[in-house]
Amino acid sequence: MTAATSASPRVRRPQQGLRRGEALAGWIFTLPVLIILGVFLLIPVLMALWVSFSDWSGRGSPLSPNVQFVGLENYAAITVDGGLPTRDFGTALRNNAWYVLLVVPLQTALALFLAVLVNRAILKGRGLFRTAFYFPSVTSSVAITVLWLFLFSATGVVNEILSWLGLNGPNWFQNPSGIIHNALASVGITTGPAFLTENDFLGLSWWDWLSGPSVAMSAFILMAVFTTSGTFMLLFIAALQNLSGEVQEAAMMDGANGWQRFWRITLPQLRPTLFTVLTLGLIGCWQVFDQIYTGTQGGPAKTTMTPAYLSYSSAFLDQDWGRGAAIAFILFAIVIVFATFQRWVLRDRPVSKRRIRQYQVVTRHPSPAAPEKEATR
């Protein structure tokens, strides 16, 4: 055996990780973006967090020695003190909770319906319908709000149409009564049971929490559904066009009708897009501000006030910057909690053992007496 053949071949081990210099190059290329995000996003957020724990009056720098650390006083003022700030925050939270509860499901369902409708191959002029449905989403929210104030005024178009049907429309943006309380009052129920009226949360009784959105907020709910469904429709259309038609054809051959194919096949495949739409809708609804600022500025009787608008009015109008920042961070925590819960609900679950057994092939083994019978034959 020669030395050449006896020598073991040199084995090159694959390099683990990045090559020399690639990590440095990556940091160099991303450094400008990191600096921009740090200067215009991270630092302002940290300063706002400090303001929520301080008594800053809005004059001078929030980092000056004259600004004192007050701990959780600003958060306590709007959550547990029981004064007017607590009641205002509870009112804003109730208004926004009903807004989210109605807008998110309605806009998601309408967007999905429109996407399925305009995605059908037999529909003529699909591009025209897509543009028409999406057009409200690209229109300025201020312009839409001004239009809505005109349409839903006491002598507006909406009440005129209702009068043709024999109905007396309300003075929409001046009516602070809750729609659930109005529905109960129509059947003679004007007050709630004692356990709802005598117990409160954030300065409001549970009976007030269950009043539903006010008539004025209901008009804003309709406006939100009208203006946002077109954007989410495009997301659903993009997802529908990426679905394979083979599964649909197999289901049709098995005798599944249209509703069964949609509920059992199409909708489960849209789960990632559904999560995106629900998350974006949830964040947008909890941050509603410009419609309220342009339209009613929290009125009538604070029934359209939202936490975002309350944060603005506390900081910029009342000059209580610490309380305004505290409201903003509580709102941020609410959005994170709801988004996390929504992700948990829409997570991919493992198939249960009961359903697995439905698709398992059962192998039947021949009985021991079978070979003996064959031999006797």
Side-chain angles (χ1 to χ4, degrees), residues 275 279 337-349:
F275 170 76
T279 303
V337 169
F338 273 92
T340 304
F341 175 74
Q342 186 173 278
R343 183 177 182 84
W344 177 80
V345 171
L346 295 177
R347 73 189 188 281
D348 292 329
R349 295 177 176 84

Side-chain angles (χ1 to χ4, degrees), residues 349-377:
R349 295 177 176 84
V351 182
S352 62
K353 295 181 179 180
R354 180 180 61 83
R355 289 193 175 184
I356 290 178
R357 286 196 294 268
Q358 296 177 0
Y359 300 98
Q360 288 178 341
V361 178
V362 180
T363 304
R364 296 183 178 180
H365 299 283
S367 59
E372 297 181 358
K373 291 182 181 180
E374 293 293 333
T376 54
R377 290 180 184 178

Side-chain angles (χ1 to χ4, degrees), residues 99 103 106-107 110 114 132-139 144-145 147-148 151-152 219-231:
Y99 185 89
V103 170
L106 289 177
Q107 71 182 5
L110 180 59
L114 295 177
F133 293 147
Y134 182 66
F135 184 75
S137 300
V138 299
T139 308
I144 292 290
T145 303
L147 174 63
W148 225 249
L151 294 176
F152 283 83
F220 283 119
I221 289 173
L222 294 176
M223 183 177 66
V225 175
F226 172 75
T227 56
T228 57
S229 299
T231 301

Side-chain angles (χ1 to χ4, degrees), residues 62-127:
L63 303 178
S64 65
N66 297 328
V67 178
Q68 302 296 323
F69 176 78
V70 296
L72 298 176
E73 287 185 9
N74 294 320
Y75 291 89
I78 59 178
T79 55
V80 297
D81 282 358
L84 182 60
T86 302
R87 183 175 179 83
D88 285 347
F89 181 68
T91 301
L93 205 61
R94 178 202 60 184
N95 300 337
N96 214 154
W98 282 108
Y99 185 89
V100 172
L101 186 64
L102 293 177
V103 170
V104 173
L106 289 177
Q107 71 182 5
T108 304
L110 180 59
L112 182 57
F113 171 75
L114 295 177
V116 174
L117 183 65
V118 301
N119 193 55
R120 302 184 64 181
I122 61 174
L123 181 66
K124 296 182 179 180
R126 288 182 294 172

Side-chain angles (χ1 to χ4, degrees), residues 51 56-58 307-328:
V51 169
W56 186 51
S57 62
Y309 183 80
L310 181 62
S311 175
Y312 158 78
S313 62
S314 298
F316 290 90
L317 301 182
D318 300 337
Q319 294 298 305
D320 195 337
W321 294 85
R323 194 173 70 205
I327 295 173

Side-chain angles (χ1 to χ4, degrees), residues 269-310:
Q269 295 181 83
L270 294 177
R271 182 178 296 177
T273 306
L274 187 63
F275 170 76
T276 302
V277 169
L278 289 174
T279 303
L280 293 177
L282 185 71
I283 295 173
C285 287
W286 277 112
Q287 295 179 343
V288 58
F289 170 79
D290 47 352
Q291 298 90 335
I292 306 301
Y293 178 80
T294 307
T296 59
Q297 296 188 353
K302 301 180 180 179
T303 55
T304 60
M305 183 170 57
T306 61
Y309 183 80
L310 181 62

